[in-house]
């Protein structure tokens, strides 16, 4: 709430709002930390190579967040729908493109080909209950990964 200035009219006090200062964009409850979009070596589709492509997201709050039915997607429309998964306060989870066994720190998309484009793409994270966009991370041609904050 903006600070207020009390101005006296002699009879009664009038409260006038001060101009508010611009605030930084709110930190999303779950944010992208990093996307590793160009796995090491040749892109031949092997499971090890596919799992070298991943996104890391973090819970920025002080409470656990249930990610069941949340969606991680790229610009093309490839979608990963989170299983029943609780992301604890301040913790991160890595979502790998290939196949594997889910754990408390790593989830697997189960794809047999790559998702993230090496020449530029964007990752979007959408809340499951209303599909509201929670965070995005984008990159252009260049490196092999991008830090999202």
């Amino acid at each position: 709430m903006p600070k207020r200035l009390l101005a006296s009219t002699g009879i009664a006090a009038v409260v006038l709002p001060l101009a508010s200062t611009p605030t930084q964009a709110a930190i999303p409850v779950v944010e992208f930390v990093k996307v590793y979009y160009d796995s090491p070596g040749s892109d031949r589709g092997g499971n090890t190579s596919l799992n070298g492509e991943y996104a890391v997201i973090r819970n920025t709050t002080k409470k656990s967040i249930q990610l069941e039915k949340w969606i991680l997607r790229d610009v093309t429309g490839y979608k990963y729908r989170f299983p029943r998964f609780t992301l604890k306060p301040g913790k991160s989870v890595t979502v790998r493109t290939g196949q594997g066994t889910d754990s408390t720190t790593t989830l697997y998309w189960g794809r047999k080909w790559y998702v993230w484009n090496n020449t530029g793409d964007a990752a979007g994270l959408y809340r499951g209950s209303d599909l509201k966009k929670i965070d995005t991370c984008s990159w252009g041609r260049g490196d092999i990964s991008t830090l999202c904050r």
Side-chain angles (χ1 to χ4, degrees), residues 16-129:
L16 302 172
L18 291 176
S20 60
T21 57
T23 58
Q24 291 182 342
I27 296 173
V29 295
V30 178
E31 69 178 0
F32 283 103
V33 175
K34 180 179 186 175
V35 177
Y36 200 116
Y37 54 86
D38 188 4
S39 62
S42 299
D43 290 347
R44 296 179 190 247
N47 197 52
T48 301
S49 179
L50 289 168
N51 284 330
E53 182 183 83
Y54 58 86
V56 179
I57 61 171
R58 173 179 49 221
N59 179 346
T60 64
T61 73
K62 293 181 180 180
K63 62 181 182 178
S64 293
I65 296 178
Q66 178 52 250
L67 295 180
E68 184 176 17
K69 298 183 182 174
W70 283 46
I71 293 173
L72 171 63
R73 65 170 289 186
D74 77 333
V75 174
T76 307
Y78 293 118
K79 295 178 185 176
Y80 171 75
R81 189 173 301 273
F82 284 82
R84 184 161 182 74
F85 182 83
T86 302
L87 188 55
K88 297 195 184 279
K91 298 298 182 183
S92 297
V93 64
T94 300
V95 180
R96 296 189 180 274
T97 299
Q99 299 177 28
T101 303
D102 292 346
S103 71
T104 59
T105 58
T106 305
L107 298 172
Y108 293 88
W109 198 314
R111 290 187 49 83
K112 296 190 187 271
W113 199 252
Y114 305 92
V115 173
W116 311 116
N117 295 323
N118 299 350
T119 56
D121 207 339
L125 185 62
Y126 300 82
R127 186 170 53 205
S129 59

